[in-house]
Each structure stands twice: as structure tokens, then as C-alpha cells.
Short mmCIF file of all heavy atoms in Angstrom, two decimals:
data_model
loop_
_atom_site.label_atom_id
_atom_site.label_comp_id
_atom_site.label_asym_id
_atom_site.label_seq_id
_atom_site.Cartn_x
_atom_site.Cartn_y
_atom_site.Cartn_z
N THR A 1 9.80 4.03 -9.51
CA THR A 1 11.04 4.69 -9.14
C THR A 1 11.91 3.72 -8.39
O THR A 1 11.47 2.75 -7.80
CB THR A 1 10.74 5.91 -8.22
OG1 THR A 1 10.16 5.41 -7.03
CG2 THR A 1 9.83 6.93 -8.90
N VAL A 2 13.16 4.02 -8.43
CA VAL A 2 14.17 3.16 -7.68
C VAL A 2 13.85 3.06 -6.19
O VAL A 2 13.92 2.06 -5.59
CB VAL A 2 15.60 3.71 -7.89
CG1 VAL A 2 16.56 2.93 -7.04
CG2 VAL A 2 15.94 3.60 -9.32
N THR A 3 13.37 4.22 -5.58
CA THR A 3 13.10 4.19 -4.13
C THR A 3 11.89 3.31 -3.83
O THR A 3 11.91 2.70 -2.81
CB THR A 3 12.84 5.59 -3.63
OG1 THR A 3 11.81 6.22 -4.41
CG2 THR A 3 14.07 6.44 -3.67
N GLN A 4 10.98 3.17 -4.73
CA GLN A 4 9.88 2.31 -4.48
C GLN A 4 10.33 0.87 -4.49
O GLN A 4 9.87 0.04 -3.75
CB GLN A 4 8.77 2.45 -5.54
CG GLN A 4 8.01 3.73 -5.45
CD GLN A 4 7.13 3.99 -6.67
OE1 GLN A 4 7.40 3.47 -7.80
NE2 GLN A 4 6.10 4.74 -6.51
N ASP A 5 11.29 0.55 -5.40
CA ASP A 5 11.79 -0.83 -5.51
C ASP A 5 12.67 -1.22 -4.33
O ASP A 5 12.88 -2.41 -4.03
CB ASP A 5 12.52 -1.01 -6.76
CG ASP A 5 11.63 -0.84 -8.01
OD1 ASP A 5 10.42 -1.05 -7.86
OD2 ASP A 5 12.21 -0.61 -9.04
N LEU A 6 13.24 -0.27 -3.62
CA LEU A 6 14.25 -0.53 -2.58
C LEU A 6 13.67 -0.29 -1.14
O LEU A 6 14.44 -0.20 -0.22
CB LEU A 6 15.45 0.30 -2.80
CG LEU A 6 16.25 0.06 -4.05
CD1 LEU A 6 17.41 1.02 -4.14
CD2 LEU A 6 16.71 -1.37 -4.13
N THR A 7 12.34 -0.23 -0.99
CA THR A 7 11.83 0.14 0.31
C THR A 7 12.08 -0.97 1.32
O THR A 7 12.13 -0.63 2.53
CB THR A 7 10.30 0.39 0.21
OG1 THR A 7 9.70 -0.75 -0.40
CG2 THR A 7 9.99 1.62 -0.56
N ASP A 8 12.27 -2.26 0.97
CA ASP A 8 12.49 -3.27 1.92
C ASP A 8 13.93 -3.55 2.21
O ASP A 8 14.27 -4.45 2.98
CB ASP A 8 11.83 -4.59 1.39
CG ASP A 8 10.30 -4.46 1.34
OD1 ASP A 8 9.80 -3.68 2.12
OD2 ASP A 8 9.70 -5.19 0.55
N VAL A 9 14.86 -2.80 1.60
CA VAL A 9 16.28 -3.02 1.79
C VAL A 9 16.66 -2.37 3.13
O VAL A 9 16.45 -1.17 3.34
CB VAL A 9 17.12 -2.45 0.68
CG1 VAL A 9 18.62 -2.55 0.93
CG2 VAL A 9 16.75 -3.07 -0.65
N PRO A 10 17.27 -3.11 4.08
CA PRO A 10 17.63 -2.53 5.35
C PRO A 10 18.81 -1.60 5.23
O PRO A 10 19.71 -1.79 4.41
CB PRO A 10 18.00 -3.75 6.22
CG PRO A 10 18.38 -4.81 5.25
CD PRO A 10 17.57 -4.51 4.00
N THR A 11 18.88 -0.53 6.03
CA THR A 11 19.98 0.33 6.05
C THR A 11 20.75 0.12 7.33
O THR A 11 20.24 -0.28 8.31
CB THR A 11 19.54 1.82 6.02
OG1 THR A 11 18.73 2.07 7.12
CG2 THR A 11 18.80 2.13 4.66
N VAL A 12 22.07 0.29 7.26
CA VAL A 12 22.94 0.05 8.43
C VAL A 12 23.64 1.31 8.86
O VAL A 12 24.41 1.27 9.80
CB VAL A 12 23.94 -1.05 8.14
CG1 VAL A 12 23.28 -2.40 7.89
CG2 VAL A 12 24.82 -0.69 6.86
N THR A 13 23.36 2.39 8.20
CA THR A 13 24.17 3.62 8.52
C THR A 13 23.92 4.16 9.91
O THR A 13 24.79 4.63 10.50
CB THR A 13 23.91 4.75 7.43
OG1 THR A 13 22.54 4.89 7.41
CG2 THR A 13 24.41 4.30 6.08
N SER A 14 22.70 4.07 10.41
CA SER A 14 22.40 4.69 11.68
C SER A 14 23.25 4.08 12.82
O SER A 14 23.79 4.80 13.58
CB SER A 14 20.95 4.65 12.03
OG SER A 14 20.53 3.29 12.12
N ALA A 15 23.34 2.76 12.89
CA ALA A 15 24.09 2.14 13.97
C ALA A 15 25.59 2.41 13.72
O ALA A 15 26.31 2.69 14.70
CB ALA A 15 23.89 0.60 13.92
N GLU A 16 26.03 2.36 12.50
CA GLU A 16 27.40 2.66 12.18
C GLU A 16 27.78 4.07 12.54
O GLU A 16 28.78 4.38 13.16
CB GLU A 16 27.65 2.45 10.68
CG GLU A 16 28.99 1.80 10.34
CD GLU A 16 29.03 1.44 8.88
OE1 GLU A 16 29.31 2.38 8.08
OE2 GLU A 16 28.87 0.26 8.49
N GLU A 17 26.91 5.02 12.12
CA GLU A 17 27.17 6.44 12.47
C GLU A 17 27.20 6.67 13.96
O GLU A 17 28.03 7.45 14.43
CB GLU A 17 26.16 7.32 11.71
CG GLU A 17 26.32 7.36 10.27
CD GLU A 17 25.23 8.08 9.56
OE1 GLU A 17 24.26 8.47 10.18
OE2 GLU A 17 25.36 8.25 8.32
N SER A 18 26.30 6.13 14.66
CA SER A 18 26.22 6.37 16.08
C SER A 18 27.53 5.86 16.79
O SER A 18 28.03 6.49 17.67
CB SER A 18 25.00 5.76 16.76
OG SER A 18 25.05 4.37 16.67
N PHE A 19 28.06 4.71 16.32
CA PHE A 19 29.30 4.22 16.89
C PHE A 19 30.45 5.14 16.56
O PHE A 19 31.24 5.46 17.39
CB PHE A 19 29.59 2.83 16.43
CG PHE A 19 30.78 2.22 17.11
CD1 PHE A 19 30.72 1.79 18.45
CD2 PHE A 19 31.94 2.05 16.49
CE1 PHE A 19 31.77 1.27 19.09
CE2 PHE A 19 33.06 1.49 17.09
CZ PHE A 19 32.96 1.15 18.44
N TYR A 20 30.47 5.58 15.26
CA TYR A 20 31.56 6.46 14.83
C TYR A 20 31.45 7.82 15.52
O TYR A 20 32.42 8.50 15.75
CB TYR A 20 31.51 6.69 13.32
CG TYR A 20 31.90 5.46 12.53
CD1 TYR A 20 31.37 5.16 11.28
CD2 TYR A 20 32.93 4.60 13.03
CE1 TYR A 20 31.81 4.07 10.60
CE2 TYR A 20 33.38 3.56 12.28
CZ TYR A 20 32.80 3.23 11.10
OH TYR A 20 33.21 2.19 10.31
N ASP A 21 30.16 8.25 15.84
CA ASP A 21 30.03 9.48 16.59
C ASP A 21 30.68 9.36 18.01
O ASP A 21 31.21 10.38 18.52
CB ASP A 21 28.56 9.86 16.74
CG ASP A 21 27.95 10.30 15.39
OD1 ASP A 21 28.70 10.70 14.50
OD2 ASP A 21 26.68 10.29 15.33
N GLN A 22 30.57 8.24 18.62
CA GLN A 22 31.16 8.07 19.87
C GLN A 22 32.66 8.04 19.85
O GLN A 22 33.32 8.58 20.67
CB GLN A 22 30.72 6.68 20.50
CG GLN A 22 29.21 6.60 20.80
CD GLN A 22 28.82 5.22 21.22
OE1 GLN A 22 29.65 4.42 21.60
NE2 GLN A 22 27.58 4.88 21.06
N ILE A 23 33.20 7.41 18.84
CA ILE A 23 34.69 7.36 18.69
C ILE A 23 35.00 7.68 17.21
O ILE A 23 35.16 6.76 16.40
CB ILE A 23 35.21 5.96 19.12
CG1 ILE A 23 34.75 5.63 20.51
CG2 ILE A 23 36.76 5.95 19.05
CD1 ILE A 23 35.02 4.26 20.96
N PRO A 24 35.08 8.93 16.85
CA PRO A 24 35.23 9.31 15.43
C PRO A 24 36.49 8.74 14.79
O PRO A 24 36.49 8.48 13.58
CB PRO A 24 35.31 10.87 15.49
CG PRO A 24 34.72 11.23 16.82
CD PRO A 24 35.00 10.08 17.73
N LEU A 25 37.54 8.45 15.51
CA LEU A 25 38.76 7.93 14.86
C LEU A 25 38.67 6.54 14.36
O LEU A 25 39.46 6.14 13.54
CB LEU A 25 39.95 8.05 15.84
CG LEU A 25 40.45 9.50 16.10
CD1 LEU A 25 41.62 9.50 17.10
CD2 LEU A 25 40.89 10.15 14.81
N VAL A 26 37.62 5.81 14.78
CA VAL A 26 37.43 4.45 14.26
C VAL A 26 37.24 4.51 12.72
O VAL A 26 37.86 3.71 12.05
CB VAL A 26 36.19 3.82 14.92
CG1 VAL A 26 35.82 2.48 14.23
CG2 VAL A 26 36.41 3.55 16.41
N LYS A 27 36.47 5.47 12.27
CA LYS A 27 36.34 5.57 10.84
C LYS A 27 37.62 5.83 10.10
O LYS A 27 37.87 5.28 9.05
CB LYS A 27 35.33 6.79 10.56
CG LYS A 27 34.83 6.81 9.14
CD LYS A 27 33.76 7.82 9.08
CE LYS A 27 33.08 7.75 7.68
NZ LYS A 27 31.91 8.67 7.59
N ASN A 28 38.52 6.62 10.75
CA ASN A 28 39.76 6.92 10.17
C ASN A 28 40.66 5.64 10.12
O ASN A 28 41.39 5.41 9.13
CB ASN A 28 40.50 8.02 10.91
CG ASN A 28 39.76 9.28 10.75
OD1 ASN A 28 39.03 9.56 9.76
ND2 ASN A 28 39.85 10.20 11.70
N VAL A 29 40.68 4.90 11.19
CA VAL A 29 41.50 3.67 11.23
C VAL A 29 41.05 2.69 10.16
O VAL A 29 41.81 2.16 9.42
CB VAL A 29 41.41 2.97 12.65
CG1 VAL A 29 42.05 1.61 12.64
CG2 VAL A 29 42.03 3.84 13.71
N ILE A 30 39.68 2.51 10.04
CA ILE A 30 39.18 1.58 9.04
C ILE A 30 39.45 2.12 7.65
O ILE A 30 39.84 1.34 6.71
CB ILE A 30 37.68 1.36 9.22
CG1 ILE A 30 37.44 0.59 10.54
CG2 ILE A 30 37.02 0.61 8.10
CD1 ILE A 30 36.02 0.48 11.02
N GLY A 31 39.33 3.42 7.44
CA GLY A 31 39.62 3.99 6.10
C GLY A 31 41.11 3.79 5.76
O GLY A 31 41.42 3.48 4.59
N PHE A 32 41.92 3.97 6.74
CA PHE A 32 43.38 3.77 6.49
C PHE A 32 43.68 2.31 6.19
O PHE A 32 44.40 1.98 5.23
CB PHE A 32 44.19 4.21 7.79
CG PHE A 32 45.61 4.09 7.62
CD1 PHE A 32 46.32 5.05 6.84
CD2 PHE A 32 46.37 3.15 8.31
CE1 PHE A 32 47.71 4.93 6.70
CE2 PHE A 32 47.72 3.03 8.25
CZ PHE A 32 48.39 3.96 7.42
N ALA A 33 43.04 1.40 6.91
CA ALA A 33 43.19 -0.07 6.61
C ALA A 33 42.72 -0.40 5.15
O ALA A 33 43.44 -1.07 4.44
CB ALA A 33 42.44 -0.90 7.57
N LYS A 34 41.57 0.17 4.76
CA LYS A 34 41.08 -0.06 3.38
C LYS A 34 42.00 0.46 2.33
O LYS A 34 42.07 -0.15 1.24
CB LYS A 34 39.69 0.58 3.21
CG LYS A 34 38.59 -0.10 4.00
CD LYS A 34 37.32 0.70 3.84
CE LYS A 34 36.20 0.10 4.67
NZ LYS A 34 34.95 0.86 4.54
N ASP A 35 42.71 1.53 2.58
CA ASP A 35 43.71 2.07 1.68
C ASP A 35 44.82 1.06 1.33
O ASP A 35 45.56 1.25 0.36
CB ASP A 35 44.35 3.32 2.15
CG ASP A 35 43.40 4.46 2.16
OD1 ASP A 35 42.35 4.40 1.54
OD2 ASP A 35 43.69 5.50 2.87
N HIS A 36 44.93 -0.01 2.10
CA HIS A 36 46.01 -0.96 1.86
C HIS A 36 45.54 -2.28 1.35
O HIS A 36 46.32 -3.31 1.41
CB HIS A 36 46.80 -1.12 3.23
CG HIS A 36 47.47 0.15 3.62
ND1 HIS A 36 46.81 1.11 4.33
CD2 HIS A 36 48.67 0.63 3.39
CE1 HIS A 36 47.59 2.11 4.54
NE2 HIS A 36 48.78 1.92 3.95
N LEU A 37 44.33 -2.34 0.87
CA LEU A 37 43.82 -3.57 0.26
C LEU A 37 44.74 -4.04 -0.83
O LEU A 37 45.37 -3.22 -1.63
CB LEU A 37 42.40 -3.38 -0.30
CG LEU A 37 41.27 -3.40 0.74
CD1 LEU A 37 39.99 -2.88 0.05
CD2 LEU A 37 41.06 -4.77 1.23
N SER A 38 44.91 -5.33 -0.95
CA SER A 38 45.74 -6.04 -1.99
C SER A 38 47.22 -5.97 -1.78
O SER A 38 48.00 -6.45 -2.63
CB SER A 38 45.42 -5.46 -3.41
OG SER A 38 44.02 -5.71 -3.66
N ILE A 39 47.70 -5.33 -0.69
CA ILE A 39 49.16 -5.42 -0.43
C ILE A 39 49.47 -6.85 -0.06
O ILE A 39 48.69 -7.49 0.65
CB ILE A 39 49.59 -4.45 0.67
CG1 ILE A 39 49.45 -3.03 0.15
CG2 ILE A 39 50.99 -4.74 1.16
CD1 ILE A 39 49.88 -1.93 1.12
N ARG A 40 50.51 -7.36 -0.56
CA ARG A 40 50.84 -8.78 -0.47
C ARG A 40 51.12 -9.20 1.01
O ARG A 40 51.45 -8.37 1.82
CB ARG A 40 52.05 -9.17 -1.33
CG ARG A 40 53.34 -8.66 -0.86
CD ARG A 40 54.47 -9.01 -1.89
NE ARG A 40 55.75 -8.67 -1.38
CZ ARG A 40 56.61 -9.64 -0.92
NH1 ARG A 40 56.35 -10.85 -0.96
NH2 ARG A 40 57.83 -9.26 -0.49
N TYR A 41 50.95 -10.51 1.25
CA TYR A 41 51.30 -11.08 2.51
C TYR A 41 52.85 -11.28 2.56
O TYR A 41 53.43 -11.66 1.62
CB TYR A 41 50.61 -12.42 2.71
CG TYR A 41 50.97 -13.10 4.05
CD1 TYR A 41 50.27 -12.78 5.21
CD2 TYR A 41 52.02 -13.92 4.15
CE1 TYR A 41 50.59 -13.35 6.43
CE2 TYR A 41 52.42 -14.52 5.34
CZ TYR A 41 51.65 -14.19 6.51
OH TYR A 41 52.00 -14.77 7.67
N ARG A 42 53.38 -11.03 3.75
CA ARG A 42 54.84 -11.25 3.93
C ARG A 42 55.01 -11.66 5.36
O ARG A 42 54.67 -10.92 6.31
CB ARG A 42 55.58 -9.95 3.63
CG ARG A 42 57.03 -10.17 3.70
CD ARG A 42 57.75 -8.88 3.31
NE ARG A 42 59.17 -9.13 3.03
CZ ARG A 42 59.96 -8.27 2.46
NH1 ARG A 42 59.47 -7.06 2.20
NH2 ARG A 42 61.17 -8.55 2.27
N SER A 43 55.56 -12.84 5.60
CA SER A 43 55.73 -13.33 6.93
C SER A 43 56.61 -12.40 7.74
O SER A 43 57.69 -11.98 7.22
CB SER A 43 56.47 -14.75 6.86
OG SER A 43 56.64 -15.19 8.14
N GLY A 44 56.20 -11.96 8.90
CA GLY A 44 56.88 -10.97 9.70
C GLY A 44 56.79 -9.53 9.17
O GLY A 44 57.35 -8.64 9.77
N GLY A 45 56.02 -9.34 8.10
CA GLY A 45 55.94 -8.04 7.48
C GLY A 45 55.13 -6.97 8.27
O GLY A 45 54.11 -7.23 8.84
N THR A 46 55.73 -5.81 8.31
CA THR A 46 55.09 -4.64 9.07
C THR A 46 54.99 -3.38 8.24
O THR A 46 54.74 -2.34 8.74
CB THR A 46 55.93 -4.39 10.32
OG1 THR A 46 57.22 -4.00 10.00
CG2 THR A 46 55.95 -5.54 11.25
#
């Protein structure tokens, strides 16, 4: 099974979730930033 093959793969969700639990809006800020991937660079651009 796939789970047998992946038993040694580390998970990072618990640390991430606990930080997001402390400050839930962090997840929203990061999600918002990800929504803008590939927008071009522009000097002075806002």
C-alpha cells in the first residue's frame, strides 16, 4: 500500500497548524500572497 511505502516521510503539518492556530490570519496572508504568483516585477510597483 502507499501508506506502507511512505512511513518514513516526515510530516510538517503539526508545527504549521499549531502556529496557524496561534495566529489564524497568517494562513490567510500567505494564501493571499500565493494567489499572486507569476505577477511580473515592476520597479516601484505596488
